[in-house]
């Protein structure tokens, strides 16, 4: 069983779940060593390096895997995300663009694509892709019975994140208030704080955020600094 790459990816996940990131990375490298041509393993390794914020390792991996996307088109997505994460947006754009035909109905992907477009000095195109993503989310939110309540909450948050870039005003305020008064977790708390700060509701942001702050497992430093000014 230890000869199987699958075993080593399982071990990597176990170590990561227990906070042992070096061991997690070591096990994933072993999986790749045993099956270097496995595109799914390559993609997983790129996502892992992004998650662990190992930028030097990520750059080395991208150099080592260069050109594989021509054989395995599914690698365009992690490669694009990696170059975007590293701030190399022109390279990221090439990989994102290669996936556009397959991913242009995925609002989360479109939001990331719009960010890359904006960073490559195409703000009009970025705006249009965000509008497209918002339209898709609106349609899905209206599909009764087609999505679970959990899915609906995720769609509402995705809508709010996009709307902060496209639709400031009463529509966005209504969505954000709905999120603020609903069930809370760390991403939703940070999202509401970001909305309050971005719309200069500093007093409201301070009151709401500090009330919820004690419940957050991962406390975003940027929000603390913004509200301290």
């Amino acid at each position: 069983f230890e000869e199987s790459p699958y075993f080593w990816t399982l071990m990597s996940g176990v170590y990561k779940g227990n906070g042992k990131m070096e061991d997690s990375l070591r096990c994933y490298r072993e999986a790749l060593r045993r099956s270097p041509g496995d595109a799914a393993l390559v993609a997983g390794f790129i996502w892992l390096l992004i998650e662990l914020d190992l930028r030097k390792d990520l750059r080395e991996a991208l150099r080592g895997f260069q050109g594989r996307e021509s054989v395995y088109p599914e690698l365009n997505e992690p490669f694009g995300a990696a170059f975007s994460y590293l701030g190399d947006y022109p390279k990221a754009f090439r990989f994102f663009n290669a996936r556009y035909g397959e991913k242009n109905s995925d609002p989360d992907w479109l939001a990331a694509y719009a960010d890359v477009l904006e960073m490559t000095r195409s703000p009009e195109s970025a705006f249009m892709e965000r509008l497209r993503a918002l339209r898709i989310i609106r349609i899905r939110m209206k599909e009764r019975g087609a999505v679970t309540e959990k899915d609906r909450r995720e769609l509402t948050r995705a809508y709010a994140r996009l709307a902060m870039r496209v639709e400031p005003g009463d529509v966005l305020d209504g969505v954000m208030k709905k999120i603020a008064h609903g069930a809370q977790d760390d991403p939703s708390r940070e999202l509401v704080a970001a909305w309050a700060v971005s719309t200069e509701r500093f007093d409201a942001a301070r009151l709401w955020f500090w009330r919820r702050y004690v419940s957050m497992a991962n406390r975003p430093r940027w929000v603390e600094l913004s509200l301290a000014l």
Side-chain angles (χ1 to χ4, degrees):
F1 192 52
E2 291 185 13
E3 296 299 316
S4 167
Y6 180 62
F7 167 81
W8 292 99
T9 58
L10 284 178
M11 290 299 298
S12 175
V14 169
Y15 279 126
K16 184 159 72 74
N18 285 287
K20 297 181 178 180
M21 300 310 179
E22 288 186 10
D23 288 326
S24 175
L25 190 60
R26 174 180 57 79
C27 288
Y28 210 106
R29 288 187 188 279
E30 181 62 23
L32 270 176
R33 188 185 71 80
R34 293 173 182 275
S35 186
D38 189 321
L41 283 179
V42 171
F45 186 58
I46 295 297
W47 292 120
L48 180 62
L49 292 175
I50 293 173
E51 183 179 352
L52 299 181
D53 192 29
L54 296 174
R55 294 170 183 263
K56 180 181 177 183
D57 297 80
L58 185 57
R59 290 188 182 92
E60 291 175 357
L62 289 169
R63 282 195 294 270
F65 297 139
Q66 185 175 1
R68 290 203 187 186
E69 73 282 355
S70 61
V71 180
Y72 305 107
E74 62 269 32
L75 291 177
N76 280 299
E77 190 167 351
F79 287 0
F83 280 113
S84 178
Y85 184 73
L86 293 171
D88 192 339
Y89 297 103
K91 284 185 180 178
F93 173 77
R94 179 169 68 86
F95 292 107
F96 269 89
N97 210 41
R99 294 284 282 169
Y100 186 81
E102 298 173 58
K103 303 290 287 187
N104 63 13
S105 61
D106 181 339
D108 290 330
W109 187 91
L110 284 172
Y113 180 54
D115 290 342
V116 171
L117 285 170
E118 194 164 65
M119 297 304 293
T120 52
R121 299 183 181 181
S122 300
E124 296 87 358
S125 297
F127 181 79
M128 296 305 296
E129 295 302 341
R130 289 184 181 117
L131 283 181
R132 180 186 181 89
L134 283 171
R135 284 194 291 269
I136 293 169
I137 292 171
R138 285 196 198 103
I139 291 169
R140 292 183 183 174
M141 289 173 74
K142 293 176 181 177
E143 293 175 349
R144 293 184 179 179
V147 293
T148 65
E149 185 58 33
K150 180 181 178 182
D151 291 336
R152 201 173 299 281
R153 286 198 300 270
E154 289 300 318
L155 286 169
T156 302
R157 293 177 191 177
Y159 180 92
R161 283 192 291 268
L162 280 161
M164 278 196 284
R165 309 291 293 275
V166 176
E167 292 185 341
D170 294 341
V171 174
L172 175 59
D173 290 353
V175 173
M176 294 308 303
K177 288 172 183 175
K178 182 178 179 181
I179 294 173
H181 290 101
Q184 296 295 316
D185 57 14
D186 285 1
S188 66
R189 294 183 187 104
E190 185 170 357
L191 180 60
V192 173
W195 161 73
V197 169
S198 69
T199 52
E200 298 186 354
R201 290 172 166 86
F202 293 109
D203 291 338
R206 288 190 183 95
L207 178 62
W208 186 90
F209 184 73
W210 293 119
R211 281 179 179 174
R212 302 284 185 170
Y213 185 81
V214 293
S215 303
M216 298 183 75
N218 298 303
R219 299 170 179 175
R221 181 65 176 159
W222 74 266
V223 179
E224 293 183 50
L225 292 173
S226 297
L227 298 182
L229 295 177

